[in-house]
Amino acid sequence: PDEPLAKIGLHATGRKAKRKRFTGVVFDTDDIHALYENLRKKGVKFTRKPTQTKWGGIVADFIDPDNNEFEVVQDPEHYKRK
């Protein structure tokens, strides 16, 4: 595909993390509300429900069974940016 199906972002070192268990792994979705409902019904524990950001995207955070925190993002402008 023109666009990779998975991405890994690395955070700068030396910066104190705001969240102690945040993994730095962020998932991208086209429909965060549907994904949230689907995962919630399957028992996934969200630490932040889908929330509108100042930059225009929507983010939600969830934890896995080992208590690692992940983020999912819906960026409505993702494919419009160059």
Side-chain angles (χ1 to χ4, degrees):
D2 293 336
E3 181 75 15
L5 300 176
K7 300 175 187 175
I8 298 175
L10 302 175
H11 294 272
T13 59
R15 188 175 77 169
K16 286 194 172 188
K18 292 180 183 177
R19 298 174 279 180
K20 292 181 181 179
R21 63 184 179 217
F22 186 60
T23 61
V25 177
V26 179
F27 298 95
D28 189 30
T29 183
D30 291 333
D31 189 345
I32 198 168
H33 296 289
L35 180 67
Y36 168 77
E37 285 301 324
N38 185 16
L39 293 177
R40 189 185 60 76
K41 287 177 185 176
K42 292 179 179 181
V44 173
K45 182 180 175 189
F46 279 81
T47 56
R48 176 170 47 168
K49 295 178 181 181
T51 304
Q52 187 74 42
T53 66
K54 292 179 182 179
W55 54 267
I58 305 168
V59 299
D61 299 329
F62 63 95
I63 57 174
D64 70 5
D66 292 321
N67 215 28
N68 298 302
E69 191 170 29
F70 301 90
E71 187 168 80
V72 63
V73 175
Q74 180 180 341
D75 181 353
E77 299 293 320
H78 179 87
Y79 294 103
K80 295 178 184 175
R81 291 192 182 115
K82 293 185 180 189

